[in-house]
Amino acid sequence: MQEEIQKAFEVIQNGGIILYPTDTVWGIGCDATNAEAVSKIYQLKQRAETQSMIVLMNGEKMMYNVFKDIPEVAWQILDLSEKPTTLILDNPRNVAANVIGSDQTLGIRIVKEPFCFKLMERMKKPLVSTSANISGQPTPKSFAEISPEIINGVDYVVNLQRDKISGKPSTIIKLTSDSQVKIIRK
């Protein structure tokens, strides 16, 4: 795993994009602070830059670097969640502008999955995570279902968990600064 983390880190450091296993489905990712790398992902997915993407984080410190104010309910939801949960929060900072939604929100997920966690520990930055498919096509449930167009379009494919069958994508919950909670995807 250390070798894969190092290879992925080097590609990301140089502005590249990777195909990698997450705690949910296979994802396409890059440094969430690098607008050029984020644009490469939008191009590969044939997705409008108005559709924001999720950003993975590895803990509280990284969250506070991106959000000045985090509602208390966010921590309660994360503590109580039994499955991967993405929170959409208001007014992110210190990330590429093209990863932020037009309503000034950002979807984030704290991951404990060892590869993602350790890669971000090495990067010291959040990691973009979007499903490994062309926009509008079904989300692949395994590495074998990922289209050659996606595999050939990234700068590096992580050689881990290729036999794993993914579960469902994460639950998505939107939290507003005035404490409203809205479930976007169960």
Side-chain angles (χ1 to χ4, degrees), residues 10-182:
E10 287 170 8
V11 168
I12 288 169
Q13 280 288 96
N14 292 316
I17 60 177
I18 64 170
L19 180 61
Y20 66 105
T22 74
D23 53 339
T24 56
V25 297
W26 273 80
I28 304 169
C30 68
D31 172 353
T33 68
N34 183 329
E36 274 184 42
V38 171
S39 286
K40 287 181 191 175
I41 293 176
Y42 279 116
Q43 288 169 354
L44 177 61
K45 285 185 65 83
Q46 300 168 27
R47 181 176 177 155
E49 287 204 21
T50 52
Q51 292 180 280
S52 56
M53 293 186 280
I54 293 171
V55 171
L56 302 182
M57 300 190 179
N58 68 358
E60 199 173 309
K61 184 178 175 189
M62 203 173 273
M63 273 187 68
Y64 277 111
N65 187 42
V66 175
F67 299 99
K68 188 174 162 195
D69 299 309
I70 301 171
E72 183 56 38
V73 70
W75 301 114
Q76 293 166 349
I77 290 169
L78 291 172
D79 285 344
L80 297 172
S81 296
E82 292 179 11
K83 63 181 196 162
T85 301
T86 297
L87 297 178
I88 299 173
L89 301 173
D90 289 334
N91 304 315
R93 59 194 178 153
N94 301 327
V95 291
N98 56 347
V99 84
I100 298 171
S102 56
D103 59 353
Q104 291 304 301
T105 62
L106 180 65
I108 63 99
R109 188 165 79 243
I110 293 184
V111 292
K112 294 175 178 72
E113 189 281 323
F115 173 79
C116 294
F117 186 90
K118 289 178 176 156
L119 177 58
M120 284 184 282
E121 205 170 56
R122 182 99 162 76
M123 293 168 57
K124 297 181 178 28
K125 295 177 182 175
L127 180 67
V128 168
S129 183
T130 182
S131 56
N133 59 320
I134 302 296
S135 198
Q137 293 182 357
T139 301
K141 293 187 177 14
S142 67
F143 181 80
E145 291 181 15
I146 300 171
S147 77
E149 192 173 357
I150 295 290
I151 293 170
N152 297 327
V154 298
D155 298 302
Y156 184 68
V157 179
V158 174
N159 192 16
L160 294 171
Q161 301 181 33
R162 293 205 179 170
D163 298 334
K164 177 184 159 195
I165 303 297
S166 303
K168 291 187 345 197
S170 64
T171 296
I172 300 178
I173 300 173
K174 185 171 186 169
L175 303 177
T176 58
S177 44
D178 59 356
S179 298
Q180 290 184 38
V181 176
K182 182 179 179 188

